[in-house]
Amino acid sequence: MKYRTVFDIIGPVMIGPSSSHTAGAARIGKVARTLFGQLPDHADLHFYGSFAKTYKGHGTDVAVIGGLLDYETDDERIRQAYEEAEKAKLTISIFEEGAIDHHPNTVRIKLYKGKETFELVGVSIGGGKIEIIELNGFVLRLSGNHPAILVVHQDRYGVIAAVSNLLAKHQLNIGHMEVSRKEKGEQALMVIEVDQNVDESILEPLENLPHITHVTKIHD
């Protein structure tokens, strides 16, 4: 992981004590909330490795819950996240898991709202930086540090070109793009990080393209 400035190393303005275990965890929770698009009724938090061993002392649990409540990393309400979740009728279950290969600071978040479910695996890599490495079964790499568009689509010829052409028409510069699919010809996920925030007006034309089933965005 390369850091662009000294502030990336120091970490973000945050509720302590740890940029990795607290600020990064809060950002993972907030990305999960953004992609789910609503406050869940229930969340299962599976902590792995270092997260599983230290989450109580470092406030990783309250940080993730604060993120799910849509709080920023410096929001004082994170300290009372359990109480705030209870007020919001959000129930939480926590599971302590063993070590995992890719990174010790890993959390799997499962969200539920009625019949809707959502699953995300996030990693806190230091200095408040994160990576989303799995989304609803799709393997991907999303930093969460830049505005991004996520496009669920059928794995068909021309879909990627159509999306790229539409973004070019709206003068959005692509910084990183990758596509994940479970099987050839089935559902796929396109992850596009761009250089500027994405206006809501772009999402509808994207969803109207052939073979696109869902489009969402996150901001940095």
Side-chain angles (χ1 to χ4, degrees), residues 24-40:
R27 294 195 67 201
I28 294 170
K30 189 170 174 62
V31 168
R33 164 65 183 269
T34 299
L35 294 178
F36 192 49
Q38 59 190 326
L39 178 69

Side-chain angles (χ1 to χ4, degrees), residues 42-46 91-95 108-112:
H42 180 78
D44 290 335
L45 309 182
H46 296 255
T91 58
I92 306 291
S93 296
I94 292 180
F95 304 87
R108 181 180 298 273
I109 300 174
K110 299 179 181 179
L111 304 180
Y112 306 88

